[in-house]
């Protein structure tokens, strides 16, 4: 039985807490939130002791897995504290984004780097919730690419609403690896809707594009990833399992 402590009494935290708690091999044994009302919510939900700080939680609870479901703007200090206390950690994506998940900057990577280094040296388990990797249609697309069913990959075309931004980037990197270069058109300081058009190229010659927008939303699936190979092309769309794989070169 894995003893878990949940840090967050907010919606996303409660959801993760419930999922772990409903697993036959895991149990939420304590909760923590600096907000007294949300701490009460979490205590009632799991019927376990609650603490208003991570210091107090660590001093009073021997849970081996910490569910750190706090925002990317304030995740790194508690993550480092938990790792240095020898606790395994599960957290949300993206790991660090001081200006929010839609605007992850080079500076954020620098802030996250010591935490990653400390985790690697610790031998502890650390997970980031890229849950789209477990959706059947995205899994299928990934497997079709890496198991060669699409043939030699020539092109990637993706699009996402910004609420799915971290996930669409993760999907591309997961199946394709790091591109050699990326360039972007768009103004991230534009008020209201953002529009971004990204082009990229991989070392093996594969070219790709990714469009981001928060005006083009759920009506046409909040994200799509299409990968074109010389044998087949395939596309995974949205959050409801849409997947299609077709033979390449079907022009009559
Ligand atoms: N994977 C997905 O599909 C998906 C979907 C939605 C949201 N998310 C992610 O989930 C995360 C949700 O974060 P949020 O906005 O609810 O977090 P948040 O920062 O608002 O924190 C959640 C709760 O934890 C408490 N808290 C924060 N830091 C604390 C600390 N050091 N000590 C004690 N309590 C602390 C806060 O009081 C708050 O009630 C985001 O990163 C978001 O990107 C992921």
């Amino acid at each position: 039985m894995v003893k878990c402590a949940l840090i967050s009494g907010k919606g996303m935290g409660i959801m993760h807490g419930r999922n772990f708690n409903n697993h036959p091999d895991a149990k939420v044994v304590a909760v923590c939130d600096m907000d007294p009302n949300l701490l009460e919510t979490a205590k009632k939900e799991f019927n376990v002791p609650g603490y208003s700080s991570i210091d107090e939680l660590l001093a009073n609870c021997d849970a081996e897995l910490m569910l750190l479901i706090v925002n990317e703007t304030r995740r790194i200090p508690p993550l480092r504290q938990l790792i240095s206390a020898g606790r395994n950690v599960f957290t949300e994506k993206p790991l660090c984004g001081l200006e929010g998940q839609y605007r992850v900057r080079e500076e954020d990577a620098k802030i996250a780097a010591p935490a990653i280094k400390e985790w690697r040296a610790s031998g502890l388990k650390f997970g980031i919730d890229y849950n789209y990797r477990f959706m059947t249609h995205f899994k299928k697309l990934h497997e079709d690419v890496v198991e060669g069913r699409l043939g030699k990959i020539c092109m990637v075309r993706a699009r996402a609403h910004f609420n799915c931004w971290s996930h669409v980037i993760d999907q591309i990197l997961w199946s394709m690896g790091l591109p050699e270069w990326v360039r972007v058109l768009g103004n991230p300081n534009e008020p209201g809707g953002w529009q971004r058009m990204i082009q990229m190229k991989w070392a093996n010659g594969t070219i790709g594009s990714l469009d981001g927008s928060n005006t083009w939303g759920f009506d046409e699936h909040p994200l799509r990833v299409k990968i074109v190979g010389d044998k087949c092309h395939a596309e995974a769309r949205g959050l409801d399992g849409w997947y299609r794989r077709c033979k390449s070169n079907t022009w009559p």
Side-chain angles (χ1 to χ4, degrees):
M1 179 68 64
V2 179
K3 285 193 263 177
C4 310
L6 171 64
I7 303 165
S8 167
K10 252 192 182 170
M12 201 60 191
I14 297 286
M15 192 199 82
H16 280 303
R18 279 185 192 149
N19 288 342
F20 277 89
N21 209 38
N22 289 336
H23 191 283
D25 298 330
K27 182 131 206 72
V28 171
V29 297
V31 291
C32 169
D33 200 304
M34 59 170 78
D35 177 315
N37 295 328
L38 292 165
L39 179 59
E40 272 317 300
T41 308
K43 274 167 68 179
K44 273 200 196 117
E45 171 75 33
F46 299 102
N47 199 19
V48 293
Y51 305 97
S52 59
S53 72
I54 294 178
D55 284 339
E56 253 188 279
L57 174 71
L58 287 171
N60 292 291
C61 169
D62 66 351
E64 60 258 53
L65 176 60
M66 300 292 178
L67 312 176
L68 177 66
I69 315 301
V70 307
N71 200 268
E72 59 277 355
T73 54
R74 51 176 171 178
R75 193 172 284 145
I76 299 298
L79 172 63
R80 294 180 73 180
Q81 183 181 5
L82 295 171
I83 288 170
S84 82
R87 310 295 177 103
N88 303 294
V89 180
F90 171 82
T91 195
E92 263 297 349
K93 43 54 31 180
L95 182 55
C96 180
L98 261 48
E99 291 187 6
Q101 61 170 319
Y102 316 113
R103 205 192 297 258
V104 175
R105 308 150 310 148
E106 298 276 351
E107 294 95 294
D108 296 314
K110 286 187 200 135
I111 296 164
I116 296 171
K117 202 170 159 203
E118 285 154 18
W119 159 63
R120 287 205 168 122
S122 72
L124 293 164
K125 292 194 172 69
F126 173 48
I128 302 179
D129 183 36
Y130 280 105
N131 48 320
Y132 287 32
R133 290 193 187 191
F134 298 91
M135 293 183 186
T136 3
H137 54 318
F138 288 117
K139 215 166 149 226
K140 235 182 213 167
L141 180 61
H142 176 76
E143 286 167 3
D144 278 351
V145 172
V146 299
E147 289 167 16
R149 279 184 286 278
L150 305 187
K152 182 181 171 298
I153 305 301
C154 320
M155 193 167 89
V156 175
R157 205 184 72 183
R159 176 246 141 189
H161 184 276
F162 276 103
N163 283 357
C164 297
W165 196 236
S166 318
H167 293 292
V168 80
I169 293 172
D170 180 58
Q171 288 294 318
I172 296 170
L173 298 181
W174 183 37
S175 297
M176 299 295 303
L178 269 184
E180 196 174 38
W181 59 254
V182 172
R183 66 185 173 202
V184 61
L185 263 182
N187 174 9
N189 300 316
E190 176 194 352
W194 296 348
Q195 323 298 332
R196 250 173 253 175
M197 294 182 112
I198 295 171
Q199 292 184 319
M200 53 205 128
K201 189 165 180 217
W202 282 265
N204 64 5
T206 305
I207 54 173
S209 73
L210 166 63
D211 301 337
S213 162
N214 53 359
T215 43
W216 182 5
F218 247 91
D219 45 352
E220 279 204 299
H221 301 283
L223 80 164
R224 298 176 181 209
V225 182
K226 184 175 185 75
I227 302 188
V228 181
D230 61 358
K231 279 196 212 154
C232 288
H233 56 88
E235 182 169 351
R237 287 187 192 171
L239 303 174
D240 53 6
W242 196 104
Y243 190 69
R244 187 171 66 180
R245 188 178 72 217
C246 306
K247 282 211 167 75
S248 292
N249 300 316
T250 54
W251 197 260

